[in-house]
Structure formats: structure tokens, C-alpha cells
């Protein structure tokens, strides 16, 4: 259901007719959904905003942070129910008031926050390819220095909402992720638990809250019959299930999460990203992420992402 009533009965308003007698009007309030996008320049905010616009959201780009509550209140009066706003360093030091603005939003408005991030070398490559000027650069500093300054200025925003590392994501992969993010907002759970496999040879994901290193386990890559397969394939699954150490580590990780997941829920976390890393992100980590997602899908809303596979793979865990 796209919208739902938060007032069980219409709210009455009165106006005078031409004959002077009052006529009652009724306004039914529907819950507004607001998605706020922030992050580093070059991390994919324009892609995310375009996806939201194509999905029917009223989109505003480059809004000064101090105007967020004013904008939301205005658009609510105009009966807009799905809004997306991009706020970043283009508005200058005004960005420092964003956390305060978020706290001032009406509690009846469903508000979600996305912070897009990427490694410095990736951002430098993207700016080099597009030949665009970084918003914080000038004649006296290099591109790398401008990125560092922006990262420092936005550091306080990273933990507010969902942190996404786009370093290894192609545009279509980011579009797919934003579409799934929109789908989740239709029936928002208390906590979204994201299991993410990755390969250490590609670097640690910036958006991970917890990281488990499973490179010590036997590697199917060195079996010629398994080398070209992934952790989704039955042959690799059988290989992993035959390894006592793999089963023990899987139990230990599950036990750790069983113990501490309630604490994250009590902390009012909207997202918890658990990264599982092997060497290439193709076999062991994929297998572990799928197994853990299946185990916890009754405890929270669970997503699975595999960063090391050729084709970006994300889905909802189901029993």
C-alpha cells in the first residue's frame, strides 16, 4: 500500500459559504516518506536521486541543510507524500546543522538517511574521467586534498543512517540497491541486517559495521573443478559443509551475532552491516553470507550482497 492513514478520523476545518454558514472540510493525513541523501562528491548521489525521481519521489538537489524542515513542511502542505532531498558540501558549512534539522522533523514522517561513500583513489579516478571540478577545490589545493577536507567535514554524518560504499559498484548496481532501499520503506522494519561478502584483494568495504575474516579456512579456489564456481553452487556448498573448521567458525559467528544483535536493536539501529571476507569474495565469503542470512531471517529484515561476484547480487533472505 503506497500510503496509509495516521489519523483514524478526518480532521475538521471550517470555512464560511456565500450565505455566511460554516461548511466543514475534512483533511485525511497520510504518512509522508522522506529519503535524505548525503555523502562525498562523486560517490553516486546523482544516480541515487535519479532513481528516486523515476520512482515517483519529488526530488530536490543541493538544498541548504538549514532549509530541510521548512521544505518538508511546505511540501507536506502541498500534499506531497514521497520526497527525496540531496544535501552535501555544496551548501558549504551549512551542512553542520543537518543532524539538528533531522531531529526537528515531525516524528509522524518516515525519514530515512543514506550516506554514499567511496575510497579516495576511486573518487579521484571518477573526477579524472568526468573532468568535473570538485566543489571544495580551488587553485591552492589538489583534488586529493579537497576530497580529504570534504571527508573530514562530513564525518559526523556517516553514522546517522545507512552507509553505502560505492567504490566497487557500477552505476547499474547502485541503481538496483536504491530500488531495493525504496521497496523496504513501504513496510519499514525495526532493523535491517545486511550480510555482505567481499574479497580482501579488493579492499575492506567502508560501510561495514562488523567484519569477519575467514581467509584461514580451506579455499575451494585451488580445486580445479571448483575454481570457476561461486559460493552459490552446490559443489562449493558441499565442499564447505565438509570442512569442520568452516562449520565451527559459522557457529561461532552465529553465536556472536545471537548474543549482540539484541543490543544493536536496543540501540535503535536502523541498519547493521556484517561483512564476511575471504581472498577473492567468490567462494567462502559468499557461502557464509548466505548461511548467516538464512539463519537470521526470522530475527530481523535480512539482505544479502556479494561485492566480489562479477554480477552484483543482492536479494532478500527467505526461508
Amino acid at each position: 500500500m503506497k500510503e496509509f492513514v495516521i489519523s483514524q478520523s478526518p480532521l475538521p476545518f471550517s470555512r464560511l459559504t456565500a450565505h455566511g454558514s460554516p461548511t466543514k472540510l475534512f483533511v485525511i493525513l497520510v504518512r509522508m516518506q522522506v529519503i535524505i541523501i548525503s555523502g562525498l562528491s562523486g560517490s553516486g548521489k546523482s544516480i541515487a536521486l535519479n532513481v528516486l525521481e523515476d520512482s515517483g519521489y519529488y526530488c530536490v538537489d543541493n538544498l541548504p541543510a538549514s532549509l530541510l524542515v521548512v521544505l518538508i513542511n511546505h511540501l507536506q502542505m502541498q500534499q506531497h507524500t514521497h520526497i527525496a532531498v540531496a544535501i552535501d558540501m555544496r551548501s558549504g558549512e551549512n551542512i553542520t546543522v543537518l543532524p539538528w534539522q533531522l531531529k526537528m522533523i515531525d516524528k509522524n514522517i518516515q525519514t530515512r538517511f543514506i550516506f554514499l561513500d567511496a575510497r579516495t583513489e576511486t573518487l579521484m579516478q571518477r573526477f579524472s574521467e568526468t573532468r568535473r571540478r570538485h566543489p571544495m577545490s580551488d587553485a591552492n589545493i589538489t583534488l586529493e586534498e579537497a576530497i580529504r577536507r570534504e571527508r573530514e567535514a562530513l564525518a559526523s554524518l556517516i553514522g546517522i543512517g545507512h552507509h553505502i560504499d560505492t567504490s566497487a559498484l557500477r552505476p547499474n548496481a547502485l541503481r538496483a540497491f536504491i530500488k531495493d532501499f525504496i521497496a523496504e520503506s513501504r513496510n519499514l522494519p525495526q532493523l535491517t541486517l545486511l550480510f555482505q561478502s567481499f574479497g580482501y584483494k579488493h579492499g575492506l568495504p567502508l560501510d561495514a559495521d562488523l567484519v569477519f575474516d575467514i581467509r584461514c579456512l580451506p579455499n575451494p579456489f585451488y580445486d580445479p573443478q571448483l575454481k570457476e564456481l561461486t559460493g552459490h553452487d552446490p559443489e562449493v556448498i558441499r565442499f564447505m559443509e565438509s570442512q569442520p573448521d568452516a562449520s565451527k567458525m559459522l557457529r561461532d559467528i552465529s553465536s556472536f551475532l545471537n548474543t549482540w544483535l539484541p543490543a544493536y536493536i536496543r540501540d535503535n539501529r536502523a541498519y547493521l552491516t556484517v561483512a564476511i571476507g575471504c581472498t577473492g569474495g567468490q567462494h567462502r565469503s559468499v557461502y557464509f553470507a548466505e548461511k548467516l542470512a538464512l539463519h537470521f531471517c526470522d530475527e530481523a529484515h535480512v539482505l544479502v550482497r556479494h561485492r566480489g561476484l562479477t554480477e552484483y547480487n543482492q536479494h532478500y533472505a527467505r526461508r
Side-chain angles (χ1 to χ4, degrees):
M1 192 174 188
K2 192 172 184 179
E3 300 167 356
F4 60 91
V5 177
I6 59 173
S7 175
Q8 295 299 319
S9 60
L11 300 180
F13 291 82
S14 296
R15 69 178 180 186
L16 292 178
T17 65
H19 302 288
S21 59
T23 300
K24 287 188 175 181
L25 302 177
F26 294 92
V27 178
I28 296 180
L29 299 178
V30 296
R31 192 177 189 189
M32 176 184 280
Q33 295 181 3
V34 178
I35 295 179
I36 299 163
I37 302 172
S38 190
L40 297 174
S41 302
S43 61
K45 296 190 298 295
S46 295
I47 292 174
L49 205 62
N50 287 338
V51 172
L52 288 161
E53 186 171 24
D54 292 342
S55 300
Y57 280 72
Y58 184 98
C59 295
V60 178
D61 191 19
N62 195 19
L63 180 76
S66 59
L67 298 180
L68 178 60
V69 174
V70 173
L71 173 73
I72 290 174
N73 290 341
H74 172 74
L75 293 178
Q76 190 174 39
M77 292 294 294
Q78 298 297 317
Q79 300 184 8
H80 290 282
T81 57
H82 293 78
I83 301 169
V85 184
I87 301 175
D88 52 43
M89 285 303 298
R90 288 173 292 175
S91 61
E93 295 183 359
N94 190 272
I95 193 74
T96 58
V97 304
L98 182 55
W100 179 81
Q101 285 279 309
L102 292 172
K103 293 179 181 179
M104 296 296 294
I105 297 174
D106 191 319
K107 300 302 181 184
N108 288 321
I109 296 175
Q110 184 188 92
T111 305
R112 308 186 74 190
F113 186 87
I114 305 175
F115 187 91
L116 298 181
D117 200 352
R119 296 187 182 89
T120 297
E121 56 270 24
T122 301
L123 295 174
M124 292 179 66
Q125 181 179 354
R126 291 174 182 173
F127 273 100
S128 176
E129 291 172 351
T130 60
R131 299 183 180 181
R132 297 191 63 185
R133 179 180 175 273
H134 191 281
M136 295 192 71
S137 65
D138 57 37
N140 299 317
I141 64 173
T142 65
L143 174 59
E144 185 174 5
E145 291 170 336
I147 294 172
R148 186 182 69 249
R149 289 185 182 182
E150 183 180 36
R151 193 183 298 280
E152 292 171 353
L154 296 176
S156 62
L157 304 182
I158 293 177
I160 292 178
H162 188 33
H163 183 192
I164 305 174
D165 177 8
T166 68
S167 301
L169 298 185
R170 296 178 180 178
N172 283 340
L174 179 57
R175 292 187 187 100
F177 185 83
I178 297 300
K179 288 178 182 178
D180 283 335
F181 188 91
I182 296 170
E184 294 171 45
S185 67
R186 307 304 183 195
N187 187 20
L188 189 64
Q190 184 178 13
L191 174 73
T192 295
L193 183 59
L194 172 60
F195 289 102
Q196 177 176 259
S197 67
F198 73 96
Y200 273 93
K201 71 178 184 180
H202 303 300
L204 281 166
L206 299 177
D207 50 2
D209 297 303
L210 300 171
V211 179
F212 294 95
D213 183 353
I214 63 171
R215 287 176 292 179
C216 60
L217 299 176
N219 192 349
F221 179 83
Y222 295 111
D223 185 329
Q225 295 181 337
L226 305 179
K227 181 176 181 178
E228 301 301 325
L229 302 180
T230 75
H232 288 302
D233 292 304
E235 297 87 344
V236 175
I237 292 173
R238 285 194 294 269
F239 175 90
M240 295 301 298
E241 289 177 343
S242 69
Q243 306 298 322
D245 285 347
S247 298
K248 185 177 186 304
M249 182 172 285
L250 190 59
R251 288 195 301 270
D252 288 345
I253 295 174
S254 297
S255 177
F256 177 88
L257 294 175
N258 277 324
T259 300
W260 292 106
L261 186 59
Y264 285 106
I265 293 174
R266 288 194 301 269
D267 193 41
N268 296 317
R269 294 287 294 267
Y271 281 85
L272 182 67
T273 299
V274 180
I276 314 293
C278 61
T279 304
Q282 178 180 340
H283 299 97
R284 296 166 290 180
S285 60
V286 172
Y287 168 80
F288 264 63
E290 293 289 344
K291 284 291 187 180
L292 289 167
L294 189 62
H295 178 79
F296 285 97
C297 66
D298 286 339
E299 306 297 326
H301 179 69
V302 174
L303 288 175
V304 186
R305 286 163 58 194
H306 302 300
R307 300 181 73 96
L309 299 185
T310 303
E311 294 297 328
Y312 182 78
N313 188 338
Q314 172 177 299
H315 60 85
Y316 300 91
R318 298 184 178 90
R319 287 200 184 279

